[in-house]
Amino acid sequence: MKIFIKNIKSLYGTHSQDVSLVKGANMKALPCLENAWLAVENETIAAFGSMEDFEGIEDWRDLTIIDAAGKFVLPGWCDSHTHTVFAASRAEEFEDRLNGLSYEEIANRGGGILNSAKKLASMSEEELFRSAFERLNGMMQQGTVAVEIKSGYGLDEENELKMLRVIKRLKDEHPIEIKSTFLALHAIPIEYKERVNEFVALMVNEILPKVAAEGLADFVDAFCEEGYFSVDQMNQLIDAAQVLGIPAKVHVNQFNIIGGVEAAVKRNARSVDHLEELSDYDLQVLLAGNTMPVALPSCSFFLRIPYTPARKIIDAGLPLALATDFNPGSSPSGNMNFVNSLACIQQRMLPNEVVNAATLNGAFAMNVQDVLGSIAVGKKASFFITKPLNSLAELFYYFGENNIDQVVVNGNLVDSKAN
Ligand code: NIG
Ligand code: FE
């Protein structure tokens, strides 16, 4: 499909091809071209420029022309942290929480991740695939073009491999760019409650090599937290995966600071995610490393826990990415637009910073920055056109609205009928 978009009010995110992430004060700058055109051919961005210098189209055959007068074009959202493959909602726990129970109290009663694992064990690969496929369609219609998906509701070999095979099939069959993460250490099954080290050994020594041999994981992950997995247990996983050539993206500092940031950064993790709690020492460690911090504001919103201190992170000179954490327990929404509004309203991020965090930095957090995350010639043609807006700020200011008009993924217009 060939597409030519003309009269774009502003074409945002035109970082030069060699920029792979944006950090610190540079996050306030979002390169853009006003009154622009954009040409798509063979699934990639073929060219773009200013309408003033436009020299005409050579070959009009099979060309779809879109007039974007009054509208903006942005690179599609890159959602680098999700648990999009799951069996069912946990709306029953939602009511428990409304009645006053905390996430921790629900987990201690056998709810939480163990509840999702029970539901997943009785669901077929086919059903899991179909429900996740539908969720991805919804995310795509909301402007998301790349998604990282974790396992972690299997908790045993059969069900972890089942989840990872579902993710592999989604990679093959869904147009969204997908990265797969083996979340080996997510929760402790009841039968291992007194033998956590045995569970870690099972995951690290027996299941991880099988996952690697089948090529099912781009990353590994652990929930490093009091009551879940220690820094040492997370390190065992990261070190074993490193030998197999699989980098880590980890859940750290969601509720408590137990040293996970330092351990992960020292081991060159691709990203450290959550960081609702963050010490000045953690900031110094991050500044000395190459790991992307990732904030998940819809998780903070849903659980009523502190927001990741985005201002502190960016003002210290660090990069930051934003993601949904889509999962049935702590963030039952895959809507990046809502995440972005929260980042402005609750974390005081500026619209330009939010776009950089949700596009190029999100792409970096899952290692797709060479093909996605900005508007650059040769990158995948995966972007969206907004409804008519007066300013970029309005995209986030009108929170809860669908401000996106059309989405293009890999050079194809996404059917928006379901919107
Ligand atoms: O990122 N914190 C750990 N994992 C998920 C929650 C998973 C669940 O509750 O099902 C998170 O918040
Ligand atoms: Fe998560």
Side-chain angles (χ1 to χ4, degrees):
M1 190 173 188
K2 285 200 303 183
I3 307 176
F4 181 77
I5 306 171
K6 62 179 183 180
N7 297 327
I8 303 167
K9 188 169 170 176
S10 283
L11 175 62
Y12 282 106
T14 53
H15 291 280
S16 79
Q17 173 68 266
D18 56 343
V19 176
S20 56
L21 59 86
V22 202
K23 58 184 171 183
N26 288 338
M27 284 186 72
K28 288 197 172 71
L30 180 65
C32 85
L33 199 61
E34 276 166 36
N35 191 22
W37 57 269
L38 174 67
V40 170
E41 204 174 343
N42 298 331
E43 304 188 359
T44 58
I45 295 171
F48 60 86
S50 160
M51 288 301 288
E52 274 146 43
D53 315 322
F54 181 56
E55 285 172 358
I57 295 168
E58 266 175 41
D59 185 357
W60 290 82
R61 281 170 299 176
D62 304 321
L63 186 64
T64 302
I65 297 181
I66 297 173
D67 189 343
K71 303 172 179 179
F72 300 130
V73 170
L74 280 83
W77 307 131
C78 295
D79 188 352
S80 66
H81 179 138
T82 85
H83 310 248
T84 303
V85 174
F86 58 85
S89 97
R90 301 213 302 262
E92 66 283 11
E93 294 178 4
F94 180 51
E95 294 207 30
D96 289 342
R97 281 204 309 105
L98 299 181
N99 282 321
L101 287 183
S102 69
Y103 183 80
E104 194 185 2
E105 284 162 340
I106 289 168
N108 289 341
R109 298 197 321 180
I113 297 165
L114 295 183
N115 183 2
S116 280
K118 202 164 21 163
K119 291 176 175 174
L120 184 126
S122 63
M123 202 156 171
S124 73
E125 210 166 302
E126 183 61 30
E127 285 174 295
L128 280 172
F129 170 78
R130 265 194 263 118
S131 59
F133 196 93
E134 282 307 312
R135 283 177 205 124
L136 287 173
N137 281 347
M139 294 159 88
M140 188 167 70
Q141 281 152 2
Q142 288 160 339
T144 297
V145 300
V147 173
E148 179 258 17
I149 308 177
K150 301 171 193 299
S151 66
Y153 293 125
L155 306 182
D156 63 22
E157 179 174 330
E158 180 192 340
N159 287 297
E160 280 298 307
L161 289 177
K162 180 166 85 178
M163 287 191 81
L164 290 165
R165 288 181 189 132
V166 167
I167 300 170
K168 176 149 196 302
R169 204 174 140 200
L170 292 168
K171 277 189 187 190
D172 294 342
E173 297 184 34
H174 201 282
I176 282 187
E177 179 80 13
I178 294 170
K179 288 284 176 181
S180 167
T181 298
F182 174 38
L183 176 41
L185 306 180
H186 198 194
I188 303 158
I190 290 175
E191 61 274 29
Y192 283 97
K193 216 163 174 225
E194 307 303 324
R195 303 177 287 141
V196 183
N197 279 329
E198 269 179 55
F199 179 70
V200 173
L202 171 74
M203 283 290 169
V204 172
N205 302 334
E206 287 181 39
I207 305 181
L208 173 63
K210 291 182 187 168
V211 167
E214 248 190 83
L216 290 174
D218 300 304
F219 301 99
V220 293
D221 191 352
F223 185 17
C224 181
E225 181 60 57
E226 276 175 21
Y228 291 84
F229 297 94
S230 68
V231 174
D232 179 59
Q233 288 162 340
M234 174 185 77
N235 287 346
Q236 289 176 43
L237 174 70
I238 300 181
D239 291 342
Q242 210 149 37
V243 173
L244 297 167
I246 306 175
K249 291 167 67 62
V250 288
H251 287 75
V252 286
N253 290 31
Q254 183 174 4
F255 301 107
N256 297 286
I257 299 175
I258 61 170
V261 170
E262 182 175 27
V265 170
K266 282 202 172 141
R267 284 168 174 74
N268 243 320
R270 187 76 191 180
S271 71
V272 282
D273 305 26
H274 276 289
L275 312 177
E276 288 86 344
E277 305 296 329
L278 195 66
S279 69
D280 288 341
Y281 182 70
D282 287 335
L283 275 182
Q284 296 312 314
V285 167
L286 282 162
L287 277 166
N290 296 308
T291 299
M292 177 65 71
V294 180
L296 309 166
S298 51
C299 170
S300 299
F301 172 79
F302 190 75
L303 293 186
R304 268 182 254 107
I305 62 174
Y307 284 84
T308 304
R311 281 267 54 93
K312 218 170 146 181
I313 293 171
I314 296 170
D315 294 344
L318 286 164
L320 183 67
L322 289 162
T324 62
D325 197 11
F326 192 6
N327 78 77
S330 69
S331 178
S333 161
N335 187 341
M336 280 294 287
N337 300 298
F338 182 60
V339 162
N340 293 339
S341 289
L342 283 177
C344 291
I345 298 159
Q346 299 287 2
Q347 297 177 287
R348 297 176 184 269
M349 287 175 67
L350 298 168
N352 283 358
E353 292 175 321
V354 166
V355 173
N356 282 321
T359 57
L360 195 53
N361 286 358
F364 184 89
M366 55 177 145
N367 197 16
V368 295
Q369 73 285 348
D370 291 342
V371 287
L372 287 163
S374 62
I375 301 289
V377 171
K379 279 198 174 182
K380 285 177 185 270
S382 294
F383 53 81
F384 61 83
I385 305 168
T386 67
K387 291 186 175 158
L389 295 173
N390 292 307
S391 65
L392 182 67
E394 285 188 353
L395 185 58
F396 309 125
Y397 161 88
Y398 288 120
F399 74 91
E401 287 292 317
N402 178 11
N403 301 312
I404 293 179
D405 190 19
Q406 280 173 300
V407 183
V408 173
V409 172
N410 290 334
N412 291 307
L413 270 168
V414 172
D415 183 355
S416 58
K417 268 194 288 239
N419 272 347

